[in-house]
Structures are given as structure tokens and as C-alpha cells.
Amino acid sequence: MKNSYRNKEDIKLYDNSVLPKDLDKVGETPFMTEENVFPDILKNHMAPKNKLGYLVVRKGELNYVWEDEEEKVYTVDSNHPLVIYPERYHRVILTGAVEFKVEFYHYDDKMIVDKTALRPGENFIK
């Protein structure tokens, strides 16, 4: 599948955020592929309240977009996981064969901005 979301000059952009240390892991999705991905992950959504997501790719790669920075398309692969902060809309863009999951960590952040946001990861929190 040809990716229509690319950065200028087809240069891959990686997010260099590091998952904060000493966070408690509270759940994770099963590994998903391009064939069984949860459809809501491909839509505009947020991480579960007070949780950081950690997008981990085992095989292949995918793209990731923060809705407030749509001009930046991040590549996520096995060497470049991505930290997903709560209360920030985003979506995953599949670009081909991939195997990935999202881990969730408790994040003590008092700011809850949008209580009605779609948060497909909620079902994977313990």
C-alpha cells in the first residue's frame, strides 16, 4: 500500500522521546498486524486518561501523526518506538506489512482536557 502521508523529500522522521523511567506498566494491546489492527487506532483518538502509550513495532514499520502537527509524519519501527502522551489527538497510519502493539504506563498527569475523546486503549488497562 502506497503511503500518501510523507514528509518533504521522502525523508523519514523519527520521534526521539524516551519513555520516563520507573513508570508502572498497567496493560498492553495484543500484537496487531495490518490484517487485524483495531480500527479505532487508525482514527483520531487519545491515549487512556493518565496513561502514557508506548508504540512498539516488532516487524515492519508504520507511520504516526499528532493531529496538532499533521505536517510531521513519524516513522515507527523496531529501532524507533514512540511515546504517546495523553490528551493529545493522534492516529496510526499503516504503510504495509507490520506487527505492533501499544503498552500503557501510569502517568501522573492531572490535566484531563477532553473527557469525551475516543480512547481505544482503555480496554487493555488492568
Side-chain angles (χ1 to χ4, degrees):
M1 143 180 11
K2 179 77 173 139
N3 178 13
S4 61
Y5 296 92
R6 293 309 278 173
N7 297 301
K8 293 179 183 173
E9 301 172 14
D10 228 21
I11 297 172
K12 291 184 179 182
L13 177 63
Y14 301 106
D15 180 70
N16 294 315
S17 296
V18 176
L19 188 68
K21 294 190 183 295
D22 301 324
L23 295 180
D24 292 326
K25 186 175 180 182
V26 294
E28 64 184 26
T29 67
F31 273 98
M32 295 173 272
T33 69
E34 70 284 358
E35 295 176 0
N36 69 355
V37 62
F38 303 147
D40 288 343
I41 289 177
L42 305 176
K43 299 175 187 175
N44 182 17
H45 69 283
M46 287 186 186
K49 294 176 186 133
N50 295 318
K51 307 294 181 285
L52 282 181
Y54 194 54
L55 184 56
V56 178
V57 173
R58 184 159 56 186
K59 294 180 186 174
E61 67 180 31
L62 54 78
N63 285 343
Y64 181 93
V65 174
W66 292 109
E67 295 295 339
D68 59 352
E69 292 183 336
E70 247 184 294
E71 70 281 357
K72 292 182 182 178
V73 179
Y74 294 94
T75 299
V76 183
D77 61 24
S78 61
N79 294 316
H80 303 95
L82 187 131
V83 177
I84 303 169
Y85 290 93
E87 300 306 324
R88 191 169 178 199
Y89 281 103
H90 61 275
R91 71 183 181 278
V92 169
I93 303 164
L94 301 183
T95 58
V98 66
E99 191 172 347
F100 70 100
K101 69 177 178 178
V102 182
E103 300 173 353
F104 298 100
Y105 295 85
H106 178 72
Y107 183 66
D108 190 17
D109 183 7
K110 305 279 187 256
M111 186 181 82
I112 300 297
V113 177
D114 187 344
K115 295 179 191 244
T116 63
L118 175 66
R119 291 179 167 89
E122 289 282 359
N123 296 333
F124 298 95
I125 304 300
K126 295 177 188 171

